[in-house]
Amino acid sequence: MNVRVLSIELRRSVAPWAGVVVLTSALAFLYLVDAEWWRGTTAWTAQWTPLAMWTRSLLFYLWPLAVGLGALQGLRDHRSKMSELLTSTPRPAWHRAATLAGTTAITLASAFALLVLVGGVQVLANTEYTHLGWLPISLVGALFLVAGAVLGMGAGRALPSALTPPALAMSAFVFTALMHMSLGRTETTTATGITSTEPNRVSLLSPAVQEVRDVLVTLSASVHVGQTIWLLGMAATGFALLVAATWSARLFALTPVLAGAVIALLVLPSDPRRMYVVDEAAAELVCDGPVCVTKTHRARLADLAGPGKEALRLLRGALGGRAPVSVRENTALLPEGSTPQWSRETVLFDFDDEIIAAAKGEELTRALIAKGMVPGCTPVGWSGFGGDEFAQTVAAGWVLGDLRPLPGTRSAGVRREVDAATRPVWQELQALERAGQLSRINAMRAAALSCEGDPFDALSGGASR
């Protein structure tokens, strides 16, 4: 397709408008809605992989939009009553179909590329860690838009009705919703009896991805391969429908998308732990003595090293041989709803943890001490407030010699609640002899590290009564 043909096609088709709608609606969604894609280390402008994952998540509604706009494009010849005239010309049908599909593919791919570029410019300013592991995620996202639009064109040509575009767009939206909420999820029960859901392999036929909750999480290579096969089959069916002139040919044109789905399901992983995986290169540790962060956050090591070493020194003075000997960013990837796993020898932390994110300097030392004493047993992906936070406050106060709210406890009401719950326990603990204090602290740490029992109850002496 030369430049002249492309310019003519752009003027007489909805392809430019499709690109404009995709780009502007995506940017409006990202910038006008204050949501998780602006929060912490997983913000869409913070790191490359979250950028790719968040822009892919927008396909939840962009892909149905592309399918509907493609169907509208496929109705063009029918609306202009030129179908019979075009079939009588010597120009091959596949040539006309390639021009139509190619124009829309270029505009949609360009719109998605511009969306990624807008975020990429900001990522460059926010991180020192640059890699290409995010690129397949975005390339498959662009391919989803192109394949969906081509499939919509073919369906619009095969079913020339004004109802076809909205019906296809709504069907595509229902498909993505079902993949996200029910058909694409498998219910599981954790060892503690908590019920949660995990994605299954069918969900990977959907263009959208899970909400980004960890900066180190990416999609595996088998997911990229399986989705590419599925999309090539989808695009082939759409193109075949554009060319087909008889109903038998149109029925035969469905073969590629069905074959693509079957082959893709054979390639796509069945285990959720092989779908969303840890990026090993990004999770590689960079250390300053006993204090380590991932390569993704190596720019933060300088600010963390001093408070981290001081926290270890104070913990060693308070706990002796039972104290942790290192501080390390947590790189474990656990299923949502599962119980966290902690180490007695290592203070594991997450930069998105509320008390870590809100702390600097001496306050960061207090936050790391609190995490080393009581890491927290809230199920992965859940949020809560109560016994763990109370125990962290008292434990950090015991090590440092003063009872103060932890970093991140900004609300006056929450501060009063924490003080009312912790001060009696703190005073009771201080009144004990050293041996009694250590007994309660050790019982608290045992409950906190194993996530069996209530650390705050153990700290207040409840476990021994």
Side-chain angles (χ1 to χ4, degrees):
M1 180 167 44
N2 58 41
V3 176
R4 179 173 174 271
V5 173
L6 176 61
S7 63
I8 293 173
E9 192 65 30
L10 286 173
R11 288 197 302 269
R12 63 195 294 261
S13 71
V14 300
W17 294 107
V20 169
V21 168
V22 165
L23 178 60
T24 56
S25 63
L27 290 175
F29 199 80
L30 287 170
Y31 280 98
L32 298 181
V33 179
D34 183 19
E36 290 302 316
W37 49 79
W38 289 111
R39 310 269 196 272
T41 62
T42 58
W44 80 290
T45 57
Q47 298 286 344
W48 290 103
T49 300
L51 164 67
M53 296 288 277
W54 279 121
T55 48
R56 269 288 298 272
S57 70
L58 295 180
L59 296 185
F60 185 88
Y61 78 91
L62 289 180
W63 184 70
L65 193 61
V67 173
L69 290 170
L72 184 62
Q73 178 80 314
L75 290 177
R76 186 183 64 182
D77 293 345
H78 175 73
R79 292 197 311 268
S80 58
K81 298 180 171 45
M82 293 178 58
S83 301
E84 293 185 4
L85 176 61
L86 291 174
T87 56
S88 64
T89 62
R91 188 182 182 191
W94 69 265
H95 195 175
R96 295 193 303 273
T99 301
L100 182 67
T103 305
T104 303
I106 290 172
T107 56
L108 287 175
S110 299
F112 194 74
L114 285 173
L115 173 65
V116 174
L117 180 62
V118 170
V121 171
Q122 297 173 80
V123 171
L124 282 173
N126 291 331
T127 183
E128 296 180 2
Y129 180 58
T130 303
H131 62 104
L132 295 177
W134 61 275
L135 194 55
I137 303 173
S138 293
L139 289 176
V140 173
L143 185 56
F144 258 110
L145 288 176
V146 170
V150 174
L151 181 65
M153 288 181 213
R157 177 70 61 84
L159 301 170
S161 167
L163 297 177
T164 299
L168 280 178
M170 183 55 66
S171 298
F173 182 78
V174 170
F175 172 78
T176 58
L178 289 176
M179 290 299 101
H180 185 72
M181 293 186 298
S182 56
L183 294 181
R185 310 289 296 184
T186 300
E187 188 174 284
T188 58
T189 303
T190 65
T192 57
I194 298 175
T195 300
S196 62
T197 62
E198 292 182 308
N200 57 39
R201 103 174 63 189
V202 177
S203 70
L204 298 176
L205 297 179
S206 169
V209 296
Q210 285 197 127
E211 181 177 307
V212 185
R213 59 180 178 87
D214 194 313
V215 68
L216 300 176
V217 172
T218 187
L219 292 170
S220 65
S222 57
V223 171
H224 299 320
V225 173
Q227 289 183 336
T228 300
I229 294 171
W230 156 239
L231 293 174
L232 291 177
M234 186 187 300
T237 286
F239 190 80
L241 288 173
L242 276 174
V243 176
T246 63
W247 278 107
S248 58
R250 289 166 184 163
L251 289 174
F252 184 74
L254 299 178
T255 303
V257 70
L258 296 176
V262 171
I263 298 173
L265 290 173
L266 294 175
V267 173
L268 292 170
S270 57
D271 186 350
R273 288 178 290 275
R274 291 176 52 231
M275 299 174 189
Y276 295 88
V277 298
V278 172
D279 185 337
E280 297 295 339
E284 184 179 336
L285 294 178
V286 180
C287 301
D288 183 346
V291 182
C292 301
V293 298
T294 61
K295 187 182 291 186
T296 299
H297 294 133
R298 61 189 174 194
R300 298 193 179 195
L301 181 59
D303 294 332
L304 182 73
K309 293 174 183 177
E310 178 66 8
L312 291 176
R313 184 187 70 79
L314 292 168
L315 285 168
R316 185 167 57 251
L319 299 174
R322 291 175 172 267
V325 296
S326 63
V327 174
R328 178 168 62 81
E329 184 179 354
N330 194 0
T331 59
L333 177 60
L334 300 174
E336 186 171 357
S338 61
T339 302
Q341 299 176 2
W342 305 116
S343 167
R344 184 177 295 275
E345 298 182 352
T346 303
V347 179
L348 295 173
F349 72 94
D350 190 322
F351 281 113
D352 284 330
D353 187 283
E354 288 186 4
I355 66 172
I356 299 295
K360 292 182 180 178
E362 293 182 0
E363 288 291 287
L364 183 54
T365 299
R366 179 179 289 270
L368 290 171
I369 289 172
K371 295 299 292 183
M373 297 291 280
V374 184
C377 291
T378 302
V380 175
W382 295 27
S383 60
F385 181 83
D388 282 347
E389 288 73 24
F390 299 155
Q392 286 175 339
T393 302
V394 175
W398 179 78
V399 173
L400 293 169
D402 64 331
L403 184 68
R404 284 193 294 166
L406 293 174
T409 313
R410 303 303 181 195
S411 166
V414 173
R415 282 174 176 264
R416 286 194 296 269
E417 179 184 351
V418 171
D419 187 72
T422 59
R423 189 159 296 278
V425 176
W426 158 261
Q427 293 172 345
E428 182 181 344
L429 185 66
Q430 291 294 100
L432 297 174
E433 297 182 355
R434 179 68 178 177
Q437 293 179 14
L438 282 174
S439 176
R440 290 198 181 184
I441 290 294
N442 289 333
M444 176 205 70
R445 291 195 74 217
L449 293 169
S450 65
C451 288
E452 296 178 359
D454 186 340
F456 190 56
D457 186 49
L459 190 60
S460 62
S464 60
R465 292 174 185 169

